[in-house]
Amino acid sequence: MSAFQGIWVALVTPFHNGEIDFASLDRLTAKLLEDGVAGFVVCGTTGEAAALSQNEQLAVLDAVLQRVPAVRVIMGLAGNQLSALLDMQREIQRRPLAGLLVPAPYYIRPSQAGLEHFFTTLADATQVPLVLYDIPYRTGVRIERETLRRIVRHPNIQAIKDCAGDAETTMALIADGQVQVLAGEDAQIFNTLCLGGAGAISASAHIRADLYVEMQRRVAQGDLQGARQLHYRLLPWMQAAFSEANPAPVKAALALLELTHDEVRAPILPCSLENRERLRQVLATLAN
């Protein structure tokens, strides 16, 4: 079994004047490590990978690896052209890594057999563990439960980021024990941990990561009442963090805390003034 446990942060890519802000990236990763997170997902959805060139993605990865031990870094690998993904996979694997986060190919909407072929091909070619990213509302295709259960039997697929919103599938994957199940929907972190999930890959955990880590620790120790209290303390922030397109609210919150600049790449737009005020209020409450 792999070591994909605990709270992993789906890391933002800070920008300043249109360019990657490597200084802010380094400060942010250092702070989150101090807060006790298990690791980072680089160039995932929250990292705006779709708005980055391949060279930029690799530059972000290299910068994070200068600060963070390789066993605590997962790299996003997304696309819909399999041959290009295999090329990118080979390039990424020139670096030491904990794993690769791979969603279904977007836009194409392949059959279940096509999905199985897609993930199996990448798993056969990988030198590091794969984390399957099940997020049908972004890819446009649902991986059916039995298809998922077959795919994750591959020995190179060792975890799943679970964003499908199907509790029965979540429980089936946990009960099967073939992969470690990581909550991908932040409001479901507490539920998934209580069901036996291994942890989470969270965008909102940029803020008060220490509380997320403590919630996970308390569940592991059987202190469900204490973990539940932390869940409800964090819930208003989790909801605010996704009040607009991710990662705009997270970046706005980080800017309010003077951790990064509040800059995203189009077509994502900065958080609205109305939501920015809501974030300010939520952050003030969370700080107490």
Side-chain angles (χ1 to χ4, degrees):
M1 185 64 73
S2 68
F4 297 112
Q5 298 178 344
I7 303 299
W8 294 68
V9 175
L11 195 61
V12 299
T13 301
F15 299 121
H16 186 49
N17 295 329
E19 301 297 326
I20 297 167
D21 183 355
F22 290 104
S24 290
L25 180 65
D26 187 64
R27 283 196 306 272
L28 184 58
T29 53
K31 181 187 184 304
L32 290 166
L33 286 172
E34 290 177 1
D35 286 342
V37 302
F40 301 93
V41 172
V42 178
C43 294
T45 304
T46 307
E48 297 175 82
L52 300 173
S53 70
Q54 286 193 357
N55 286 339
E56 286 178 318
Q57 291 182 39
L58 293 171
V60 172
L61 175 60
D62 289 338
V64 172
L65 286 170
Q66 289 180 18
R67 166 69 67 176
V68 183
V71 293
R72 301 172 73 174
V73 178
I74 297 169
M75 178 65 173
L77 178 66
N80 56 9
Q81 185 183 0
L82 187 54
S83 61
L85 283 175
L86 289 166
D87 289 342
M88 185 63 167
Q89 184 180 36
R90 283 189 287 270
E91 181 59 37
I92 292 170
Q93 290 177 155
R94 296 177 186 272
R95 300 141 176 89
L97 283 175
L100 293 166
L101 179 69
V102 183
Y106 56 83
Y107 185 75
I108 296 174
R109 299 179 67 192
S111 67
Q112 296 300 299
L115 289 165
E116 193 166 351
H117 176 267
F118 173 83
F119 284 108
T120 299
T121 300
L122 290 170
D124 285 342
T126 195
Q127 298 171 17
V128 299
L130 297 189
V131 180
L132 192 155
Y133 187 4
D134 186 19
I135 186 162
Y137 59 82
R138 285 192 179 272
T139 64
V141 62
R142 178 170 290 279
I143 311 173
E144 295 176 2
R145 186 178 307 149
E146 294 309 312
T147 306
L148 263 180
R149 296 173 87 176
R150 288 194 302 272
I151 291 171
V152 300
R153 293 187 189 122
H154 195 292
N156 291 336
I157 300 176
Q158 296 186 10
I160 182 168
K161 181 180 179 183
D162 178 21
C163 296
D166 183 339
E168 290 191 15
T169 296
T170 301
M171 290 186 287
L173 291 168
I174 292 170
D176 287 348
Q178 294 291 325
V179 290
Q180 291 181 303
V181 178
L182 300 165
E185 295 296 306
D186 292 30
Q188 295 300 317
I189 294 174
F190 174 70
N191 297 20
T192 299
L193 291 172
C194 289
L195 288 168
I201 296 175
S202 166
S204 66
H206 281 89
I207 308 297
R208 294 306 309 264
D210 58 320
L211 297 183
Y212 289 76
V213 172
E214 178 66 10
M215 179 171 64
Q216 191 265 339
R217 185 186 69 82
R218 291 197 180 202
V219 172
Q221 293 179 345
D223 179 11
L224 297 187
Q225 181 176 353
R228 187 183 303 113
Q229 289 173 346
L230 287 169
H231 165 73
Y232 283 113
R233 182 178 174 188
L234 288 164
L235 186 59
W237 156 240
M238 293 177 181
Q239 294 166 335
F242 298 97
S243 57
E244 294 186 28
N246 183 39
V250 172
K251 282 191 165 181
L254 289 170
L256 287 169
L257 297 174
E258 299 183 347
L259 291 170
T260 66
H261 297 281
D262 183 10
E263 188 172 328
V264 291
R265 279 191 177 174
I268 302 294
L269 296 177
C271 209
S272 67
L273 292 177
E274 179 181 356
N275 263 338
R276 196 179 307 273
E277 183 56 34
R278 175 188 177 190
L279 289 169
R280 194 186 308 276
Q281 295 172 5
V282 170
L283 292 178
T285 301
L286 196 57
N288 295 328

